Amino acid sequence: GAVGINIEDGAKSPALLAEKIARIRSALSSTSRFVNARTDVFLRGLAPAGSAVAMTIERLALYRDSGTDGVFVPGLASTDDAHAVSAAITLPLNVMIVPNLPGATLLYAAGVRRISAGPAPFRVAYDSACNAVDSFLKGDFAPLGQSRLDFKTLNAVFSEHAI
């Protein structure tokens, strides 16, 4: 029932991922599954300052030529970088919400086709929880009483019909 595959390079050799993509594409030759290649150049800081776009394009071109259908560049955070990558690669570009990421309208105009929430909602929730617990442990209970989420709404989130 899978309709797609996401595969990433991390800090490993781009040639290794390109080979995996080519093998996956060959194995899926009779199906129309979407193969998405992720590169962590920005997310892991794999390139020296000013070289991340060039390294990203180089890697994604290799993955494109190996048969990927789309690309994911978590950590990319500027419309100029998004435009450069999308113009060079011409595959659907996915980015992930990171601090200072421009709004959707600007990203779409720069060539981004998908925006992933990634861990952003969980980071916001954990930040709020950590701050509330810290206040609680210091004797300040006010943050724990400030939730606008009532029990009925919270329970509905976890109901069998929520999804």
Side-chain angles (χ1 to χ4, degrees):
V3 296
I5 296 169
N6 189 61
I7 188 166
E8 56 195 70
D9 59 11
K12 295 181 181 160
S13 163
L16 176 63
L17 184 62
E19 182 180 331
K20 288 179 181 180
I21 292 168
R23 287 183 180 188
I24 290 167
R25 183 53 64 209
S26 176
L28 298 175
S29 62
S30 62
T31 67
S32 60
R33 288 189 180 84
F34 191 91
V35 177
N36 193 59
R38 168 180 156 165
T39 186
D40 284 347
V41 171
F42 282 90
L43 190 65
R44 293 178 181 241
L46 300 179
S51 303
V53 170
M55 180 185 280
T56 297
I57 290 170
E58 182 180 313
R59 286 177 179 228
L60 295 180
L62 183 62
Y63 306 155
R64 178 197 60 214
D65 296 345
S66 298
T68 195
D69 300 302
V71 295
F72 181 27
V73 186
L76 186 149
S78 85
T79 53
D80 288 343
D81 292 350
H83 179 71
V85 170
S86 67
I89 300 304
T90 66
L91 290 174
L93 172 60
N94 178 20
V95 298
M96 182 178 74
I97 294 174
V98 293
N100 303 313
L101 186 71
T105 302
L106 292 173
L107 290 168
Y108 291 143
V112 171
R113 294 298 166 252
R114 182 172 179 260
I115 302 168
S116 297
F122 303 103
R123 291 180 65 199
V124 169
Y126 289 137
D127 182 54
S128 178
C130 287
N131 288 332
V133 168
D134 185 54
S135 293
F136 172 78
L137 293 174
K138 291 176 180 173
D140 177 7
F141 309 139
L144 291 171
Q146 294 176 355
S147 175
R148 291 175 280 164
L149 185 63
D150 61 50
F151 286 112
K152 181 179 178 184
T153 304
L154 182 59
N155 287 332
V157 169
F158 294 101
S159 78
E160 63 183 78
H161 303 290
I163 296 178

